[in-house]
Amino acid sequence: MASQNKYVLSVGITLVIANMIGTGVFTSLGYQVGPLPSGFAILCLWALGGVVALCGAFTYAEIAASFKKSGGEYNYLSQLFHPAVGFAAGWISLLVGFAGAISAVAIAIGEYAHELLGIPVKVIAIIAIVLVSSIHWFGVKAGGLAQNILTSLKLTLIVVFCAAPFFVSSVSFSQLSFLPHPGDGTLILSAGFAISLVYVVYAYTGWNAAAYIAGNLEKPEKNLPRSLIIGTLVVVVVYLMLNGTFLYVATFNELEGKNDIGNVVAVKLFGSTIGAVFAGLFSTALLSTLSAMTIAGPRVLEAMGEDYPRLKTFTSKNKFDMPYFAIVAQGGWSIFLVIVSSFKEIIQYISVSLSFFSMLTVIGIFSVRKKFPGSTFRLPLYPLPPIFFIVVTCWMIYFEFTKNPMVIWYSAGTILSGLLVYRWVSRK
């Protein structure tokens, strides 16, 4: 499975897949069918998100192969720009990227499992966080095994879900066409398309997950780029298939405004009883996303603790060589967010905040090319992938600012708080 203290390639790939395939693809469509009433435009939206994620993954692969150290953007931006920028990125990752995303995933698990168990959503969410954190307490081997099993379950369920419409004849499908129609070009260039991209970016969040465990990965110079690129490619294909299935089975009216897209489609395909069982299975499969974030998130806090003595507590490890205090801190903050958070606002907040620092990291590739001429991985078609990533990210953030300026201010406020904490921890 893995050497004693290192994750193997399969764990790196499943970590990327599990981080990405989470709540986003099972919730986002309900917010897209309103502004984009076109099957072709929606699939173009998800394809564009996939291209952006791949451009980011290829760029990160070269950066990660050059640095070969855990910590993700925290480590990269600290060295490429300034320690304060890296600290702010790590701060955002902790409060938003991992803890915020964990709370969103846990709430989604609760909503799906509630259909089967009848237990309050937030109670299930808290239990899920505690359960997964406990598994990773017992080290790399136990956590890696759980990660691979849960991710395999998730992918199996998605394959079954996508194949089901071909074997169910008693359901009235939407009959939606995915071919381009007059007006689709206008939709693709509209503000609604750019704002809908925020939800797609959230769904693709996690393509950089393996970069957070570079120092804990076997042969990172080879396995890290492979993990990022293979994992992202798998997810792009899965997302296009899954959204095509959703749109083929359910009508726009049945999907619009719904948070539990998987439930809506499962009940229509299989009826309320079997649909509820599928909901329970999906809630179990989503544990893989929660697990992947529990692997990656504490590594950021651990890396920050190694650099700043006032945060040294977070480097403390148990007998299984795991940063247990960082795991507990992340789990505790995630549980707090479950209690007080709004699902839709979290998605917008996560997408904008993380996209900003991902863009800064991608910008850093131009410096990496000069500093590490002998890197073991070179991204193809340089400099087109990073330029495309930067342009699309700026386009998305601009339209989000015009529509939901408070989300931008919340993100800016969080970054400012991170800079203030940096000023405190960096004092001698």
Side-chain angles (χ1 to χ4, degrees):
M1 180 62 231
S3 63
Q4 187 174 0
N5 294 313
K6 297 288 184 180
Y7 295 110
V8 295
L9 174 62
S10 64
V11 176
I13 294 171
T14 57
L15 181 66
V16 172
I17 294 171
N19 256 284
M20 294 171 77
I21 304 178
T23 55
V25 73
F26 295 108
T27 57
S28 301
L29 198 57
Y31 302 112
Q32 294 162 4
V33 294
L36 301 175
S38 162
F40 177 76
I42 289 175
L43 287 189
C44 284
L45 177 73
W46 285 90
L48 176 63
V51 172
V52 172
L54 278 171
C55 288
F58 273 104
T59 306
Y60 265 60
E62 180 169 335
I63 295 172
S66 301
F67 286 112
K68 303 174 188 176
K69 184 180 177 183
S70 297
E73 288 90 351
Y74 163 71
N75 175 46
Y76 305 149
L77 294 176
S78 292
Q79 298 189 54
L80 290 170
F81 296 103
H82 189 276
V85 180
F87 190 93
W91 184 254
I92 285 285
S93 292
L94 293 171
L95 298 187
V96 182
F98 291 108
I102 284 173
S103 66
V105 173
I107 290 171
I109 290 171
E111 289 179 348
Y112 276 97
H114 175 73
E115 296 291 322
L116 188 65
L117 303 176
I119 300 173
V121 169
K122 293 198 173 184
V123 171
I124 297 173
I126 292 170
I127 291 172
I129 293 172
V130 172
L131 173 64
V132 171
S133 297
S134 300
I135 291 173
H136 288 286
W137 182 279
F138 293 101
V140 164
K141 189 173 183 180
L145 178 63
Q147 188 62 58
N148 282 348
I149 291 172
L150 289 169
T151 304
S152 299
L153 171 63
K154 181 193 289 183
L155 291 176
T156 301
L157 283 170
I158 288 173
V159 170
V160 171
F161 212 70
C162 291
F166 297 102
F167 300 96
V168 177
S169 57
S170 58
V171 176
S172 176
F173 296 130
S174 70
Q175 306 300 320
L176 180 70
S177 170
F178 294 105
L179 297 175
H181 288 83
D184 284 348
T186 303
L187 284 177
I188 291 171
L189 296 175
S190 68
F193 189 94
I195 293 170
S196 295
L197 188 61
V198 170
Y199 298 101
V200 175
V201 167
Y202 168 74
Y204 278 109
T205 296
W207 51 262
N208 56 347
Y212 291 94
I213 62 163
N216 304 94
L217 198 63
E218 282 187 353
K219 301 177 181 177
E221 66 281 354
K222 293 182 178 180
N223 289 340
L224 188 51
R226 291 174 183 173
S227 299
L228 292 168
I229 295 164
I230 295 172
T232 303
L233 280 170
V234 169
V235 172
V236 172
V237 173
V238 168
Y239 277 3
L240 290 173
M241 290 174 54
L242 200 51
N243 279 285
T245 301
F246 291 156
L247 292 168
Y248 179 73
V249 172
T251 65
F252 282 0
N253 287 337
E254 290 169 327
L255 296 171
E256 188 170 1
K258 296 293 193 301
N259 244 358
D260 54 343
I261 298 297
N263 269 349
V264 172
V265 177
V267 169
K268 187 167 183 179
L269 278 173
F270 308 113
S272 57
T273 302
I274 299 178
V277 172
F278 256 85
L281 289 173
F282 268 118
S283 68
T284 303
L286 284 174
L287 286 173
S288 72
T289 307
L290 219 163
S291 170
M293 293 175 182
T294 305
I295 288 177
R299 301 297 180 182
V300 180
L301 196 50
E302 180 186 15
M304 293 167 75
E306 290 171 352
D307 293 339
Y308 299 98
R310 293 189 177 186
L311 299 178
K312 192 174 181 180
T313 303
F314 297 109
T315 65
S316 302
K317 295 187 177 182
N318 59 16
K319 64 179 181 180
F320 302 102
D321 199 34
M322 296 300 288
Y324 70 94
F325 200 78
I327 293 174
V328 171
Q330 178 175 273
W333 179 245
S334 301
I335 289 171
F336 171 76
L337 291 177
V338 164
I339 296 170
V340 304
S341 59
S342 161
F343 187 81
K344 183 177 179 180
E345 289 178 350
I346 284 178
I347 291 178
Q348 295 172 324
Y349 183 33
I350 289 172
S351 298
V352 171
S353 301
L354 296 188
S355 294
F356 175 73
F357 282 105
S358 294
M359 183 176 68
L360 281 184
T361 305
V362 167
I363 291 172
I365 187 63
F366 303 108
S367 174
V368 168
R369 274 282 164 127
K370 296 177 181 178
K371 290 183 178 180
F372 300 94
S375 178
T376 56
F377 180 84
R378 282 284 191 258
L379 77 110
L381 301 177
Y382 176 87
L384 295 181
I387 290 174
F388 183 76
F389 185 95
I390 293 163
V391 169
V392 174
T393 301
C394 289
W395 180 59
M396 179 195 73
I397 291 176
Y398 167 75
F399 278 106
E400 181 65 19
F401 180 74
T402 61
K403 183 74 179 291
N404 300 302
M406 288 309 298
V407 173
I408 306 296
W409 294 123
Y410 290 151
S411 300
T414 308
I415 294 170
L416 178 60
S417 68
L419 293 174
L420 292 175
V421 173
Y422 167 77
R423 186 174 181 182
W424 173 68
V425 300
S426 61
R427 288 177 181 172
K428 299 297 183 183

